[in-house]
Structures are given as structure tokens and as C-alpha cells.
Amino acid sequence: MVQTYSRHGPTQAFGLVCSPSSNSVYDGKLAYVPALEDVLVWDVKTGQMVAMWHETGHRVEVTCMERSPKGATFAVGYTDGSIRLWDVVSKSVFATFNGHKRAITALAFDDAGARLASGSQDTDLIMWDVVGEAGMFRLRGHRDQITNIRFLSKYPSSMPSTSNNITSCLLVSSSKDTFVKIWDLSTQHCVQTIVAHRSEVWSLSLNSEQDMLLTGSNEGELKAWRIEPDALKDGIKELENGELSKAIHPVSTLPLTSSHRVSQIAFHPTLPYLFVQSHDRSVEIFRVRTDDEIRKKHARRKRRADAKGARGKSDNVNNVPDSKDVEKVELADLFTPYLVVRATGKIKSFALSEEARTKGATQLFFALSNNAMDPPEAVRLYSLDLPGHRMDVRTLSLSSDDNLLASASNGALKIWNTRTTSCIRTLECGHSVCSSFLPGDEHVVIGTKSGEMQIFNLSSSALVENIKAHTGTLWSIHIRPDQQALVTGSADKDVKFWNIDWGQGQSDGGSERRTVSLVHTRTLKMTDDVLSVRYSPNGRLLAVALLDSTVKVFYEDTLKFFLSLYGHKLPVLSMDISYDSKLIVTSSADKNVKIWGLDFGDCHKSIFAHDESVMQVAFEKKSHYFWTVGKDKVLKYWDGDKFENIQKLEGHFGEIWALAVSNFANFVVTGSHDKSIRIWEKLDEPLFLEEEREHHLEQLYESGLADTLNREDLPIGSGDPTFKGPERAEATNVSKQTTETLMAGERISEALELADREIEARQLYEKAKEGLSEQQLAAIQPPPRNPVLVAHNIEPEAWVLKVVEGVQSAALHDALLVLPLSKVISLMIYLSLWAEREWNIPLISRILFFLLKTHHHQIVANRAMRTTLIPLRTHLRAALLRQKSTITYNLAALQFIRRQSNSRRTAQFYDEAGLDEGKALTKITDVKKRKRVDI
């Protein structure tokens, strides 16, 4: 009989405030911050998490975020090159864009929120239609990672656009290739390339008037550029000297107090301030001077120049500054240093709030890279850091009833409720390396890097005792099975034994409370550093792991040597003994896990478990199954009797340092370098090893197939490494094959096959009925309908349409590329039927134009396609004309309603004294403008 195992699944990560992988967004009340693969929404004032944007099954880290001008939509980019559009109200994804091959690094919405521009590490820019949920085109020209994108919406393109004004504007982008490029979106070409800096360009920003561009480099240089509106509106032309006109000209360099990388530049949307982040822990704020202030400054400068000139003439000095040269406007005249705001940690990004502005001040939001959110020290309003660790989670331990979880890092011990994942206590401690709950679950003991043992009382949230136990790092603590003593192992080569001494003391309120202390009883000297100590569950043996890659086993009562387990090539970092005291499993820095018998010390099996060092291992209670975690960011579940890997669980984005297994074998907890804590629960779903392997192989095949289809250097199916594809065009279509698009293409192909068989069977039946008598007709049975069509009570052509409509709009073109030509011809027949019945005409038109563009040569060469294309043209044109007339009628009605509204408003203004028709219309226009600004 095939053995089944219990499948484990992840729950949401906790202990995270924000992760340093992406920028953050702040609206004055709510902060939208990345949390590994999720997005967290925090109420900064109350410190409460309002929402978590989590998509089930999506395990890719967030790298970029951008809010739409509409406010209710967020674009979130991920490391796999995908972009998801989140709805703030429903907290769900309503569109997914796949076009980039590597991580998203820059996002920008246009003013209407109808288009989204994305930049990636793959050096490409892609323009997305948010309303149509499809890619418009891909722009190529940069040679390194895109770092920033901005729309130049105030300068429409000089070229006429065929799609109204939505594409007729400009885009400016910066990259690590030291270039800044201006793109004309109507012609889909680069109109100017600027060599902006000597090193990588990391930041870019435009002022509200869009006549000044600021760029920041990796060397800490901040440059200003002047934008010429006439050059952008008239287009690039040849000048009299033969050179091309330029739209952007250099102005000056703004001096900064720091020479670090200028990682972010931002103009305040309403106030005259410029924010520049060029240091790890601070943001410089510059005030933008008004025209009057600049004129006064120039006047003072001119007076000083004239005074110097008068003195120079009297002193016969030739080098006298000319007052005309002094009148030149410099960047330093426009910006004046105002304030330097410092944070408590390294700043990943900052965000400005336009709404929450009180008494002329503005709120500045910091997202720190140490898992905290910190407003600046200028006037600190709120701070949010308690729900998570600032440093790596190095040790985890569970209480005896699994209700409490203790996690410790450098400087902080936190107690969590495992059911609600809420932080109950936060205590200051030393640099923690190991920890354990003491019997009774009222106290937690931790071992520190300085060799101290610190005992904390959870009810009073106080440090009870600080014991200088060892002179080196205290690597391991383990409670004896009888709950009366514990053992510690340290880098000072000592194994020390401690009795747990309970007593009664007085609390602050005068009531008696239970106290605890540890009494040192004996010491076992070893020949090398002790990395791990472990009691056997029967209490007879003590295992000690040493730095010399061996494990020594002693009798617990006499400390007499019993066994030596050697075979690892690097030190054993962790070990555990099974519940029946028959097996001991050891994990090492040599990436191997070894299973030993405790009877004779024989090695049952050596398993290459992880791609990096195996940091911790633990047996599941009442079984020979065990868990391992490693620096390869993976948690693995093993069968200790059959030596097989049961399940591989991925989810962390950093090295996994800590592991804790439930006392009731319900779940397992892991802590990582990414500062998150994850609980992996046991599910009711059974797990079969053969099915898991088949599923894994299918995933590898599908991902490999998608990668092959996405390759541009080789023709599909060739394998010739000497083949060189065509030169990359500057503008191309947006296409990327993924597992989802391959599956969508297969679903369309299966629907076409099903419908073709159904229609063919129906036609054969109708042909067989011709020329038969009524008695013969009664003897012939109609063909049975397909069960799928019967279940949905739908016709074959309607079933194909339903399947096509079920494909996401952004993935439709990629799904159609998967279809072979025979299926394309079959689909064209159904397009004609749909157009005749006027079913979803916009979708039919979109599919038809794409198929004709993609398979033009094959369709033209196939004479049989005439019988399909001619009726399709007739039906589609008739349907489009009817829809055009309907839209025209509706537009005329809307214009009529607007004219009626304007006439009523004009009549109202006529009633006022001294107002003629012209003045009334002018006043109406002014009121409309004011309302538009207010909105």
C-alpha cells in the first residue's frame, strides 16, 4: 500500500513592518509598504495594520509600487517581472501584466491614470493600457537597468496621433547606463538622449510646471536641466549650423552635504520644497525661492558687484566682476538649504503627504531597511516598529501548549500569540543566539553572544536574572526531560549543568509570585568549542556537537563517554534525538544531514539536504519525521525511516536561521534573515510522493517551455548557438509567454477541438437524414452531445466564446500565439459566426486584427481562407456600423443635455443686473475651472 503523508501549507508571514525591497506610498493617514511578497496597509497614527494585500500562491517579492492619480488603484511590481493592479477597496488584483523578464524597478501613471509605464532590470520600457488591460508597445534603447520614469504630460507630441490624445505625449526615463532619454509615445521613438552623469543615474524628478528636470547620480551629484517647451511642441528640427535642436539643456549642479548616491528626489506637490535623499540616514530639504526673493538676491549681488567695481577702479584692479554676469540665474539662487532630517536607521525610501498638511507644515514618511517605519526627528509624529524585529530572527522557542512563541534577535525578545500572530511582549535583551521556555511557561531563558543567560518573567515583562554563565558565546540551551535542570554549551569549550530552583517572592502589588533561579551544579570540559547540546528524551544520554565536526555522546548521570559520531566534513550546527531515543539526526555546514543509530553509533544515511549550510534540524513529535532549514531559504520535511524528502516549502526571502516544531505536531515555525516569522500548518490534504515528483517535473517542463518561447537569440526548436536573431527594434510588441498563457492557449485549443467535433457530428447527422423516410428517420438516433456542453447547456460556438472570454485580457495575445495555424483557421470560422450574431464585437475585432497581423503570410497564401474571410468581413462591418451609429446617437444625446444645462445656467446669470451674454459665459467658464481644480 502506498504510504501517505500530511501536507503542510504556509500561513501569512508575521513580524514584518516593512521590507527594504521596494519604495513605499503614504497619503497622510495610511502607509502602503512592501512586506516581502505582500503589501501591508498601516494606520500610522494608531499603529494598527489595516489590511494585507496577499494573493494566494504568489511567492514573489515586491520591488516597486506606484499609486494611480485616481487613488483607488495601485500598481505593484515584482521580481519575476510581473505587474499586478490592486484595487484598494476590494483588496484584490483585477489585472496582471506580464511583459518583463526581470524585476520591475520603475513605475509611473499618466495624469489620467489610463496608462502605466514600467521599467525593469531587463533594460526595457513597456507602456500598458490600464483600461484595456493590455500591453501597448515595448521601447528599447537603454543598456542597463531603468531607475526612474516620468510622464511629460504638459508637452503633447508634435506628431499627429491616430488614437486621440491619449498616446500623444512624452516620457522621460533614466537608467544605470548614465543616460536620460526622452521618448515620443506617438511615434514610439527616442527623440533625445542625454549623457547626464559620469556614473549611474539613480533618481529623476520633475517640478510641477515641468520646465525643470533634476537627476541624481551614484557619485552624489545632483544636476538640473532646463526643458524647452517650444522644442518639444515643434519637434526635433535641424538648426542652421546643421545640428539637431535639443529639448533639454543643462543648467547647473546643486551642491549637497553628502557625496553618497542620490537615491531619491521629490518635489512637494503643493509646497515650494525639494527633498533629496543622498545619505543612508538623512534627507536634505531645500526651499524653492520665489521670483521676488530671487530678484532681491540679484539686486543685493549687483550692489556688491558695483561696490567692488568702484573700489577696483580706485585701486587700479583689472579683475572686477561685471554686473551683467552677476545677473545670471544660478541653481543655487533658486534652491536654498532649509533642513536636514535624520532617521534612526538606514532609509530605504521616503514619501510625501499632500493631504495631511497642518499650519503650513508637511508630513514626511520614512520606510527604513531595518523593518521599521520612522517619521523624521524634525517633529516626530508617529513611529511604528514594535510589531517586528530590527535585526535577524536568530532563535525561536514554543511554550508547552503551543500558544506562545518566543523570538529573539540582537537586542529584542518578543512574545507572540501563535493563533492571532500578534505581538504580546517586547523586551530588551542582549545579542540572542539560543532560547527556551522554562517549565511552567512563565519564564523565558536566552543565551547571548557574550556568554550570559538572561531570564525574563513574561507576566511582569521584567529581567529576573542575568547570569554570566560562560566566557564565550552560549550556543545552545536544552531543558532536561524531567523539567528539573538544563544544560548549556558554549564556545569556551565547557558544557555546564544547571538546576532550576523555584521560590516565592513578593510582587510590586504585595502578592506572592513564583520566582526562578539557575544553580550551577557541574561542568564537563571538552576539547573544542561546543555548538549544540541535546538530552535524549529518556534522559539517559547527552549529545554534544563540537567544532571539530564530531558529536560526542555521554551518559547523563555519570558523564561517562559512550559514542563518537564522526563523518561530517564541517562543524555540526544542530542536532536532535527522536522521541524513542533510537535515532539522532545531525545537520552541518557541509550541506548534509546524517541519521545515526544511538545503539551503536552507526550512520544509517547521509543525505545531501540543502544547497547551503543546514542551520537547524528538529524531529517531529512522536514520529521519525524531521524538519531542516538552511541558508538556501528553504524548509524541508523528511522521512527518517525511508530517508526520503516529503515536502519542500519555499517562502522566505533570506537565510533561515531558526526553527521550532509544535509539541502537538500541528505546525512548524521558522525565522529568517528577512526578519519575518512564518508558521507552516499541517493540512488535512494527503500527500503522495509520486504525485509530488510528477507535479514538480510538470512545473519544470512548463517553465522551461515558456523560457524557450521567450528567447530572442535562437529560433524556436533550433538549439543552434551560432544563430543570431534580427537586430532589436526600438519599439516592439509586448509579449511574454508564461505558464498561465500556455495553459490559456491549451484551453482555447481544447475548446476548438470540442466544438469542431460537435459541429462535424451534427453535420453528418443532418446529411444522413437527407432522402430518408419518416420510418427511417425514427430509426436514426441523433449523436449524443458532449457532457461539457450539456452541463453548461450551451452551443459549441458559444462554448468557444466563453472559453476565450475567460482568458485575461492582458494574456489574450500570448495565448493566441500558442495556437497552431490549423486552430487559427478554425477560430476564424467561429469569429464569423460571432460577428453574424453580434457577440462581443470588441473582443472579436481585437482577436481578428491580432491574428491577421501575426499570420498574414499564411492566411494570404491559403486560398481556402477566402470562404471564411469574405463573410467575416461582411458580418463584422455591418456589426461595427450598427455599434458606431449607437455610439454616435448616445454622444449626440449627451451633447444635447450639456447644451440644455449651459442654457439654463446662462439664463440664471442673465437675471443678475448688468450682465450681458459674454460676461455670463465667462463667469460660467470660471466656475467650471474652479470646480475642476477643487475636484
Side-chain angles (χ1 to χ4, degrees), residues 588-592 608-615 629-633 655:
S588 168
D590 62 8
K591 310 175 188 177
N592 288 305
F608 184 79
H610 290 262
D611 295 332
E612 298 290 341
S613 300
V614 187
M615 300 308 299
V629 294
K631 285 187 176 181
D632 58 356
K633 312 172 187 176
E655 298 91 341

Side-chain angles (χ1 to χ4, degrees), residues 76 114 130 242 262 358 375 469 477 515 556 563 611 622 703 921:
V76 182
V130 177
V262 182
T358 56
I477 295 176
T515 61
E556 193 276 332
L563 291 173
D611 295 332
K622 304 299 181 182
S703 62
L921 292 175

Side-chain angles (χ1 to χ4, degrees), residues 203-219:
S203 52
L204 177 148
S205 184
L206 290 166
N207 61 349
S208 58
E209 293 80 13
Q210 293 192 357
D211 57 2
M212 179 181 292
L213 173 70
L214 293 181
T215 58
S217 73
N218 194 39
E219 297 177 346

Side-chain angles (χ1 to χ4, degrees), residues 857-871:
H857 296 294
Q858 292 85 348
I859 292 174
V860 170
N862 191 346
R863 298 179 63 87
M865 288 296 298
R866 290 177 58 86
T867 57
T868 303
L869 290 175
I870 292 174

Side-chain angles (χ1 to χ4, degrees), residues 400-440:
S400 58
D401 57 2
D402 287 344
N403 287 332
L404 297 179
L405 170 69
S407 64
S409 64
N410 183 7
L413 168 67
K414 291 182 179 289
I415 309 299
W416 309 82
N417 186 324
T418 56
R419 295 180 181 177
T420 63
T421 65
S422 59
C423 183
I424 302 172
R425 297 280 189 275
T426 298
L427 308 170
E428 291 186 4
C429 66
H431 193 157
S432 308
V433 179
C434 57
S435 64
S436 177
F437 274 90
L438 291 179

Side-chain angles (χ1 to χ4, degrees), residues 597-613:
L598 268 181
D599 295 334
F600 306 103
D602 54 324
C603 181
H604 291 181
K605 187 69 173 179
S606 180
I607 304 172
F608 184 79
H610 290 262
D611 295 332
E612 298 290 341
S613 300

